[in-house]
């Protein structure tokens, strides 16, 4: 965005584009954290009930954490 566009955006929204970008990235990361917790707890419950092995529990939690790390790298 050039200076005129940034000024118009700030006048219309009341915040800077950088602040908006930070807010959107923060919301995406919070949703990703909730998703990782949901995956881990779901697999943990399946493991407790005997429907999944310890390897399944470890692997699904590890995969979800890797997705979170990659997403965090690209959103920083």
């Amino acid at each position: 965005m050039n200076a005129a566009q940034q000024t118009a955006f700030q006048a219309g929204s009341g915040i800077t584009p950088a602040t908006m970008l930070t807010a959107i990235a923060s919301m995406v990361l919070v949703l990703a954290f909730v998703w990782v917790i949901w995956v881990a707890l779901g697999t943990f419950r399946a493991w407790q009930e005997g429907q999944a092995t310890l390897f399944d529990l470890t692997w699904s939690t590890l995969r979800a954490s890797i997705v979170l790390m990659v997403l965090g790298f690209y959103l920083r």
Side-chain angles (χ1 to χ4, degrees):
M1 293 174 79
N2 61 25
Q5 291 171 331
Q6 287 182 357
T7 304
F9 182 85
Q10 189 169 0
S13 66
I15 58 172
T16 64
T19 304
M20 177 69 95
L21 184 62
T22 302
I24 292 171
S26 299
M27 285 185 266
V28 169
L29 277 176
V30 165
L31 287 174
F33 270 111
V34 170
W35 175 75
V36 168
I37 292 168
W38 178 72
V39 167
L41 286 177
T43 310
F44 181 72
R45 287 187 186 125
W47 175 69
Q48 277 185 327
E49 295 171 0
Q51 298 173 352
T53 63
L54 184 60
F55 178 76
D56 293 333
L57 173 65
T58 306
W59 183 240
S60 65
T61 305
L62 183 64
R63 283 186 307 172
S65 298
I66 289 170
V67 168
L68 181 64
M69 288 187 332
V70 169
L71 187 62
F73 175 76
Y74 284 111
L75 286 178
R76 67 179 174 107

Coordinates of all heavy atoms in Angstrom, one line a residue:
M1 N 0.8 -1.2 0.0 CA 0.0 0.0 0.0 C 0.9 1.2 0.0 O 1.9 1.3 0.7 CB -0.9 0.0 1.3 CG -1.9 -1.1 1.3 SD -2.8 -1.2 2.9 CE -4.0 0.1 2.7
N2 N 0.5 2.2 -0.8 CA 1.2 3.5 -0.7 C 0.7 4.3 0.4 O -0.2 4.0 1.1 CB 1.2 4.2 -2.1 CG -0.3 4.5 -2.5 OD1 -1.1 4.7 -1.6 ND2 -0.5 4.7 -3.8
A3 N 1.3 5.5 0.6 CA 1.0 6.3 1.7 C -0.4 6.8 1.7 O -1.1 6.9 2.8 CB 2.0 7.5 1.8
A4 N -0.9 7.1 0.5 CA -2.3 7.6 0.4 C -3.3 6.5 0.8 O -4.3 6.7 1.5 CB -2.6 8.1 -1.0
Q5 N -3.0 5.3 0.4 CA -3.9 4.1 0.7 C -3.9 3.8 2.2 O -4.9 3.5 2.8 CB -3.5 2.9 -0.1 CG -3.8 3.0 -1.6 CD -3.2 1.9 -2.4 OE1 -2.1 1.3 -2.0 NE2 -3.8 1.6 -3.5
Q6 N -2.7 3.9 2.8 CA -2.6 3.6 4.2 C -3.3 4.7 5.0 O -4.0 4.4 6.0 CB -1.1 3.6 4.6 CG -0.4 2.4 4.2 CD 1.1 2.3 4.7 OE1 1.6 3.3 5.3 NE2 1.7 1.2 4.4
T7 N -3.2 6.0 4.6 CA -3.9 7.0 5.3 C -5.4 6.8 5.2 O -6.2 7.0 6.1 CB -3.5 8.4 4.7 OG1 -2.1 8.5 4.8 CG2 -4.2 9.5 5.4
A8 N -5.9 6.5 4.0 CA -7.3 6.2 3.8 C -7.8 5.0 4.6 O -8.9 5.1 5.2 CB -7.6 6.0 2.3
F9 N -7.0 4.0 4.6 CA -7.4 2.8 5.4 C -7.5 3.1 6.9 O -8.4 2.8 7.6 CB -6.4 1.7 5.2 CG -6.7 0.4 6.0 CD1 -7.5 -0.5 5.4 CD2 -6.2 0.2 7.2 CE1 -7.9 -1.7 6.1 CE2 -6.5 -1.0 7.9 CZ -7.3 -1.9 7.3
Q10 N -6.5 3.9 7.4 CA -6.5 4.3 8.8 C -7.7 5.2 9.1 O -8.3 5.1 10.2 CB -5.2 4.9 9.2 CG -5.1 5.1 10.7 CD -3.7 5.5 11.1 OE1 -2.8 5.6 10.3 NE2 -3.5 5.7 12.4
A11 N -8.0 6.1 8.2 CA -9.1 7.0 8.4 C -10.4 6.3 8.4 O -11.3 6.6 9.2 CB -9.1 8.1 7.4
G12 N -10.6 5.3 7.6 CA -11.8 4.5 7.5 C -12.0 3.5 8.6 O -13.1 3.3 9.1
S13 N -10.9 2.9 9.0 CA -11.1 1.8 10.0 C -10.7 2.2 11.4 O -11.1 1.6 12.4 CB -10.2 0.6 9.6 OG -8.8 0.9 9.6
G14 N -9.8 3.2 11.5 CA -9.4 3.7 12.8 C -8.1 3.0 13.3 O -7.7 3.3 14.4
I15 N -7.6 2.0 12.6 CA -6.4 1.3 12.9 C -5.5 1.2 11.7 O -5.9 1.4 10.6 CB -6.7 -0.1 13.5 CG1 -7.4 -0.9 12.4 CG2 -7.4 -0.1 14.7 CD1 -7.5 -2.4 12.7
T16 N -4.2 1.0 12.0 CA -3.2 0.9 10.9 C -3.3 -0.5 10.3 O -3.8 -1.5 10.9 CB -1.8 1.1 11.4 OG1 -1.5 0.0 12.3 CG2 -1.7 2.4 12.1
P17 N -2.9 -0.7 9.0 CA -2.9 -2.0 8.4 C -2.1 -3.0 9.1 O -2.4 -4.2 9.2 CB -2.3 -1.7 7.0 CG -2.6 -0.3 6.7 CD -2.5 0.4 8.1
A18 N -1.0 -2.6 9.7 CA -0.1 -3.5 10.5 C -0.8 -4.1 11.7 O -0.7 -5.2 12.0 CB 1.2 -2.8 10.9
T19 N -1.6 -3.2 12.3 CA -2.4 -3.7 13.5 C -3.5 -4.7 13.1 O -3.7 -5.7 13.7 CB -3.0 -2.4 14.2 OG1 -2.0 -1.5 14.5 CG2 -3.8 -2.9 15.4
M20 N -4.1 -4.4 11.9 CA -5.1 -5.3 11.4 C -4.5 -6.7 11.1 O -5.0 -7.7 11.4 CB -5.8 -4.7 10.2 CG -6.8 -5.7 9.6 SD -8.2 -5.9 10.6 CE -9.3 -4.7 9.8
L21 N -3.3 -6.6 10.4 CA -2.6 -7.9 10.1 C -2.2 -8.7 11.3 O -2.4 -9.9 11.4 CB -1.4 -7.6 9.3 CG -0.6 -8.7 8.7 CD1 -1.4 -9.6 7.8 CD2 0.7 -8.3 8.0
T22 N -1.8 -8.0 12.4 CA -1.4 -8.7 13.6 C -2.6 -9.3 14.3 O -2.6 -10.4 14.8 CB -0.7 -7.7 14.6 OG1 0.4 -7.1 13.9 CG2 -0.3 -8.3 15.9
A23 N -3.8 -8.6 14.2 CA -5.0 -9.1 14.8 C -5.5 -10.3 14.1 O -5.9 -11.3 14.7 CB -6.1 -8.0 14.8
I24 N -5.4 -10.3 12.8 CA -5.9 -11.5 12.0 C -4.9 -12.7 12.3 O -5.4 -13.8 12.4 CB -6.0 -11.1 10.5 CG1 -7.1 -10.1 10.3 CG2 -6.1 -12.4 9.7 CD1 -7.1 -9.5 8.9
A25 N -3.6 -12.4 12.2 CA -2.7 -13.5 12.5 C -2.8 -14.1 13.9 O -2.7 -15.3 14.1 CB -1.2 -13.0 12.3
S26 N -3.1 -13.2 14.9 CA -3.3 -13.7 16.2 C -4.6 -14.6 16.3 O -4.5 -15.6 17.0 CB -3.5 -12.5 17.2 OG -2.3 -11.8 17.2
M27 N -5.6 -14.2 15.6 CA -6.9 -15.0 15.7 C -6.6 -16.4 15.0 O -7.1 -17.4 15.5 CB -8.0 -14.3 15.0 CG -8.6 -13.2 15.8 SD -10.0 -12.4 15.1 CE -9.3 -11.1 14.2
V28 N -5.9 -16.4 13.9 CA -5.6 -17.7 13.2 C -4.8 -18.6 14.1 O -5.0 -19.8 14.2 CB -4.9 -17.4 11.9 CG1 -4.3 -18.7 11.3 CG2 -5.8 -16.7 10.9
L29 N -3.8 -18.0 14.8 CA -2.9 -18.8 15.7 C -3.7 -19.4 16.9 O -3.5 -20.5 17.3 CB -1.7 -18.0 16.2 CG -0.6 -18.0 15.2 CD1 0.6 -17.1 15.7 CD2 0.0 -19.4 14.9
V30 N -4.6 -18.6 17.4 CA -5.5 -19.0 18.5 C -6.3 -20.2 18.1 O -6.5 -21.2 18.8 CB -6.3 -17.9 19.1 CG1 -7.4 -18.4 20.0 CG2 -5.4 -16.9 19.9
L31 N -6.9 -20.1 16.9 CA -7.7 -21.2 16.3 C -6.9 -22.4 16.1 O -7.4 -23.5 16.3 CB -8.4 -20.7 15.1 CG -9.6 -19.7 15.2 CD1 -10.1 -19.3 13.9 CD2 -10.7 -20.4 16.0
A32 N -5.7 -22.2 15.7 CA -4.8 -23.4 15.4 C -4.4 -24.0 16.8 O -4.4 -25.3 16.8 CB -3.5 -22.9 14.7
F33 N -4.2 -23.2 17.8 CA -3.9 -23.8 19.1 C -5.1 -24.6 19.6 O -4.9 -25.7 20.1 CB -3.6 -22.7 20.2 CG -2.1 -22.4 20.3 CD1 -1.7 -21.2 19.8 CD2 -1.3 -23.3 20.8 CE1 -0.3 -20.8 19.9 CE2 0.1 -23.0 20.9 CZ 0.6 -21.8 20.5
V34 N -6.3 -24.1 19.4 CA -7.5 -24.8 19.8 C -7.6 -26.1 19.1 O -8.0 -27.2 19.6 CB -8.8 -23.9 19.7 CG1 -10.0 -24.7 19.9 CG2 -8.7 -22.8 20.7
W35 N -7.3 -26.1 17.8 CA -7.4 -27.3 16.9 C -6.4 -28.3 17.4 O -6.7 -29.5 17.5 CB -7.1 -26.9 15.5 CG -7.1 -28.1 14.6 CD1 -8.1 -28.9 14.1 CD2 -5.9 -28.7 14.0 NE1 -7.7 -29.9 13.4 CE2 -6.3 -29.8 13.3 CE3 -4.6 -28.4 14.1 CZ2 -5.4 -30.6 12.6 CZ3 -3.7 -29.2 13.4 CH2 -4.1 -30.3 12.7
V36 N -5.2 -27.9 17.8 CA -4.2 -28.9 18.2 C -4.6 -29.5 19.6 O -4.5 -30.7 19.8 CB -2.8 -28.2 18.4 CG1 -1.8 -29.1 19.2 CG2 -2.2 -27.9 17.1
I37 N -5.2 -28.7 20.4 CA -5.7 -29.2 21.7 C -6.9 -30.2 21.5 O -6.9 -31.3 22.1 CB -6.1 -28.1 22.6 CG1 -4.9 -27.3 23.1 CG2 -6.9 -28.6 23.8 CD1 -5.2 -26.0 23.7
W38 N -7.7 -29.9 20.5 CA -8.9 -30.7 20.2 C -8.4 -32.1 19.6 O -8.9 -33.1 20.0 CB -9.8 -30.0 19.2 CG -10.9 -30.8 18.7 CD1 -12.0 -31.2 19.4 CD2 -11.1 -31.4 17.4 NE1 -12.9 -31.9 18.6 CE2 -12.3 -32.1 17.4 CE3 -10.3 -31.4 16.3 CZ2 -12.8 -32.7 16.3 CZ3 -10.8 -32.0 15.1 CH2 -12.0 -32.7 15.2
V39 N -7.4 -32.0 18.7 CA -6.8 -33.3 18.2 C -6.2 -34.1 19.3 O -6.4 -35.3 19.4 CB -5.8 -33.0 17.1 CG1 -5.0 -34.2 16.7 CG2 -6.5 -32.4 15.8
A40 N -5.4 -33.5 20.1 CA -4.7 -34.2 21.2 C -5.7 -34.8 22.2 O -5.5 -36.0 22.6 CB -3.7 -33.3 21.9
L41 N -6.7 -34.1 22.6 CA -7.6 -34.6 23.6 C -8.5 -35.7 22.9 O -8.8 -36.7 23.6 CB -8.5 -33.5 24.1 CG -7.8 -32.6 25.1 CD1 -8.8 -31.5 25.5 CD2 -7.4 -33.3 26.3
G42 N -8.9 -35.5 21.7 CA -9.7 -36.6 21.0 C -8.9 -37.9 20.9 O -9.4 -39.0 21.1
T43 N -7.6 -37.8 20.5 CA -6.8 -39.0 20.4 C -6.5 -39.6 21.8 O -6.5 -40.8 21.9 CB -5.5 -38.7 19.7 OG1 -5.8 -38.0 18.5 CG2 -4.7 -39.9 19.3
F44 N -6.4 -38.7 22.8 CA -6.1 -39.2 24.1 C -7.4 -40.0 24.6 O -7.2 -41.1 25.2 CB -5.8 -38.1 25.1 CG -5.5 -38.5 26.5 CD1 -4.4 -39.2 26.8 CD2 -6.5 -38.3 27.5 CE1 -4.1 -39.6 28.1 CE2 -6.2 -38.7 28.8 CZ -5.0 -39.3 29.1
R45 N -8.5 -39.5 24.4 CA -9.8 -40.2 24.8 C -9.9 -41.5 24.0 O -10.3 -42.5 24.6 CB -11.0 -39.3 24.5 CG -11.1 -38.2 25.5 CD -12.4 -37.4 25.3 NE -12.4 -36.3 26.2 CZ -12.6 -35.0 25.8 NH1 -12.9 -34.8 24.5 NH2 -12.6 -34.0 26.6
A46 N -9.5 -41.5 22.8 CA -9.6 -42.8 22.0 C -8.6 -43.8 22.6 O -8.8 -45.0 22.7 CB -9.3 -42.5 20.5
W47 N -7.4 -43.3 23.0 CA -6.4 -44.2 23.6 C -6.9 -44.7 24.9 O -6.7 -45.9 25.2 CB -5.1 -43.4 23.7 CG -4.0 -44.2 24.4 CD1 -3.3 -45.2 24.0 CD2 -3.5 -43.9 25.7 NE1 -2.4 -45.6 24.9 CE2 -2.5 -44.8 26.0 CE3 -3.8 -42.9 26.7 CZ2 -1.8 -44.9 27.2 CZ3 -3.1 -43.0 27.9 CH2 -2.1 -43.9 28.1
Q48 N -7.5 -43.9 25.7 CA -8.1 -44.3 27.0 C -9.1 -45.4 26.8 O -9.2 -46.3 27.6 CB -8.7 -43.2 27.8 CG -7.7 -42.3 28.5 CD -8.4 -41.3 29.3 OE1 -9.5 -40.8 29.0 NE2 -7.8 -40.9 30.5
E49 N -9.9 -45.3 25.8 CA -11.0 -46.3 25.5 C -10.5 -47.5 24.8 O -11.3 -48.4 24.5 CB -12.1 -45.6 24.8 CG -12.8 -44.5 25.6 CD -13.8 -43.7 24.8 OE1 -13.9 -44.0 23.5 OE2 -14.4 -42.8 25.3
G50 N -9.2 -47.6 24.5 CA -8.6 -48.7 23.8 C -8.9 -48.7 22.3 O -8.6 -49.7 21.6
Q51 N -9.3 -47.6 21.7 CA -9.5 -47.5 20.3 C -8.3 -47.0 19.5 O -8.3 -47.0 18.3 CB -10.7 -46.6 20.0 CG -12.0 -47.0 20.6 CD -13.1 -46.0 20.5 OE1 -12.9 -44.9 20.0 NE2 -14.3 -46.4 20.8
A52 N -7.3 -46.6 20.2 CA -6.1 -46.2 19.5 C -4.9 -46.7 20.3 O -5.0 -46.9 21.6 CB -6.0 -44.6 19.4
T53 N -3.7 -46.8 19.7 CA -2.5 -47.2 20.3 C -1.8 -46.0 20.8 O -2.1 -44.8 20.5 CB -1.6 -48.0 19.4 OG1 -1.2 -47.2 18.3 CG2 -2.4 -49.2 18.9
L54 N -0.7 -46.2 21.6 CA 0.1 -45.1 22.1 C 0.8 -44.4 20.9 O 1.0 -43.2 20.9 CB 1.1 -45.6 23.1 CG 2.0 -44.6 23.8 CD1 1.1 -43.6 24.5 CD2 3.0 -45.2 24.7
F55 N 1.2 -45.2 19.9 CA 1.8 -44.7 18.7 C 0.8 -43.7 18.0 O 1.2 -42.7 17.5 CB 2.2 -45.8 17.7 CG 2.8 -45.3 16.5 CD1 4.1 -44.8 16.5 CD2 2.1 -45.3 15.3 CE1 4.7 -44.3 15.3 CE2 2.6 -44.8 14.1 CZ 3.9 -44.3 14.1
D56 N -0.5 -44.1 17.9 CA -1.5 -43.2 17.3 C -1.6 -41.9 18.1 O -1.7 -40.8 17.5 CB -2.8 -43.9 17.3 CG -2.9 -45.1 16.3 OD1 -2.1 -45.1 15.4 OD2 -3.7 -46.0 16.6
L57 N -1.6 -42.0 19.4 CA -1.7 -40.8 20.2 C -0.5 -39.9 20.0 O -0.6 -38.7 19.7 CB -1.7 -41.2 21.7 CG -1.6 -40.1 22.7 CD1 -2.8 -39.2 22.6 CD2 -1.5 -40.7 24.1
T58 N 0.7 -40.5 20.0 CA 1.9 -39.7 19.8 C 2.0 -39.1 18.4 O 2.3 -37.9 18.2 CB 3.2 -40.6 20.0 OG1 3.1 -41.2 21.3 CG2 4.5 -39.8 19.9
W59 N 1.7 -39.9 17.4 CA 1.8 -39.5 16.0 C 0.8 -38.4 15.7 O 1.1 -37.4 15.0 CB 1.6 -40.7 15.0 CG 1.7 -40.3 13.6 CD1 0.8 -40.5 12.6 CD2 2.9 -39.7 13.0 NE1 1.3 -40.0 11.4 CE2 2.6 -39.6 11.6 CE3 4.1 -39.3 13.4 CZ2 3.5 -39.0 10.7 CZ3 5.0 -38.8 12.5 CH2 4.7 -38.6 11.2
S60 N -0.5 -38.5 16.1 CA -1.4 -37.5 15.8 C -1.1 -36.1 16.5 O -1.3 -35.1 15.9 CB -2.9 -37.9 16.1 OG -3.0 -38.1 17.5
T61 N -0.7 -36.2 17.7 CA -0.3 -35.0 18.4 C 0.9 -34.4 17.8 O 1.0 -33.1 17.7 CB 0.0 -35.3 19.9 OG1 -1.2 -36.0 20.5 CG2 0.3 -34.1 20.7
L62 N 1.9 -35.2 17.4 CA 3.1 -34.7 16.7 C 2.7 -34.0 15.4 O 3.2 -32.9 15.1 CB 4.1 -35.8 16.5 CG 5.4 -35.4 15.9 CD1 6.2 -34.5 16.8 CD2 6.3 -36.6 15.6
R63 N 1.9 -34.6 14.6 CA 1.5 -34.0 13.3 C 0.8 -32.7 13.5 O 1.0 -31.7 12.8 CB 0.6 -35.0 12.6 CG 1.3 -36.1 11.9 CD 0.3 -36.9 11.0 NE -0.8 -37.3 11.8 CZ -1.9 -37.9 11.3 NH1 -2.0 -38.1 10.1 NH2 -2.9 -38.2 12.1
A64 N -0.1 -32.7 14.5 CA -0.8 -31.4 14.8 C 0.1 -30.3 15.2 O 0.0 -29.1 14.8 CB -1.9 -31.6 15.8
S65 N 1.1 -30.7 16.0 CA 2.1 -29.7 16.5 C 3.0 -29.2 15.4 O 3.3 -28.0 15.3 CB 2.9 -30.3 17.6 OG 2.1 -30.7 18.7
I66 N 3.3 -30.1 14.4 CA 4.1 -29.7 13.3 C 3.3 -28.7 12.4 O 3.9 -27.7 12.0 CB 4.6 -30.9 12.5 CG1 5.6 -31.7 13.3 CG2 5.1 -30.5 11.1 CD1 6.0 -33.0 12.7
V67 N 2.1 -28.9 12.2 CA 1.2 -28.0 11.5 C 1.2 -26.7 12.2 O 1.3 -25.6 11.5 CB -0.2 -28.6 11.3 CG1 -1.2 -27.5 10.8 CG2 -0.2 -29.8 10.4
L68 N 1.1 -26.7 13.5 CA 1.1 -25.4 14.3 C 2.4 -24.7 14.1 O 2.4 -23.5 14.0 CB 0.8 -25.7 15.8 CG 0.7 -24.5 16.7 CD1 -0.4 -23.6 16.3 CD2 0.6 -25.0 18.1
M69 N 3.5 -25.4 14.2 CA 4.8 -24.8 14.0 C 5.0 -24.1 12.6 O 5.5 -23.0 12.5 CB 5.9 -25.8 14.3 CG 6.1 -26.1 15.7 SD 7.5 -27.2 16.2 CE 7.9 -28.1 14.7
V70 N 4.6 -24.9 11.6 CA 4.7 -24.3 10.2 C 3.8 -23.1 10.1 O 4.2 -22.1 9.5 CB 4.3 -25.4 9.2 CG1 4.2 -24.8 7.8 CG2 5.4 -26.5 9.2
L71 N 2.6 -23.2 10.6 CA 1.7 -22.0 10.5 C 2.2 -20.9 11.3 O 2.2 -19.7 10.8 CB 0.3 -22.4 11.1 CG -0.8 -21.4 10.9 CD1 -1.1 -21.2 9.4 CD2 -2.1 -21.9 11.6
G72 N 2.8 -21.1 12.4 CA 3.4 -20.0 13.2 C 4.6 -19.4 12.5 O 4.8 -18.2 12.6
F73 N 5.3 -20.2 11.8 CA 6.5 -19.7 11.1 C 6.0 -18.7 9.9 O 6.6 -17.7 9.7 CB 7.3 -20.8 10.5 CG 8.4 -20.4 9.6 CD1 9.6 -19.9 10.2 CD2 8.3 -20.4 8.2 CE1 10.6 -19.4 9.4 CE2 9.4 -20.0 7.4 CZ 10.5 -19.5 8.0
Y74 N 5.0 -19.1 9.2 CA 4.5 -18.3 8.1 C 3.7 -17.1 8.6 O 3.6 -16.1 7.8 CB 3.7 -19.1 7.1 CG 4.6 -20.0 6.3 CD1 4.6 -21.3 6.4 CD2 5.5 -19.4 5.3 CE1 5.5 -22.1 5.6 CE2 6.3 -20.1 4.6 CZ 6.3 -21.5 4.7 OH 7.1 -22.3 3.9
L75 N 3.1 -17.1 9.8 CA 2.3 -16.0 10.2 C 3.1 -14.9 11.0 O 2.6 -13.9 11.3 CB 1.2 -16.5 11.1 CG 0.0 -17.1 10.3 CD1 -1.0 -17.6 11.3 CD2 -0.6 -16.2 9.3
R76 N 4.4 -15.2 11.3 CA 5.1 -14.3 12.1 C 5.5 -13.0 11.4 O 5.4 -12.8 10.3 CB 6.3 -14.9 12.7 CG 7.4 -15.3 11.7 CD 8.6 -15.9 12.4 NE 9.5 -16.3 11.4 CZ 10.6 -15.7 11.1 NH1 11.0 -14.6 11.8 NH2 11.4 -16.1 10.2

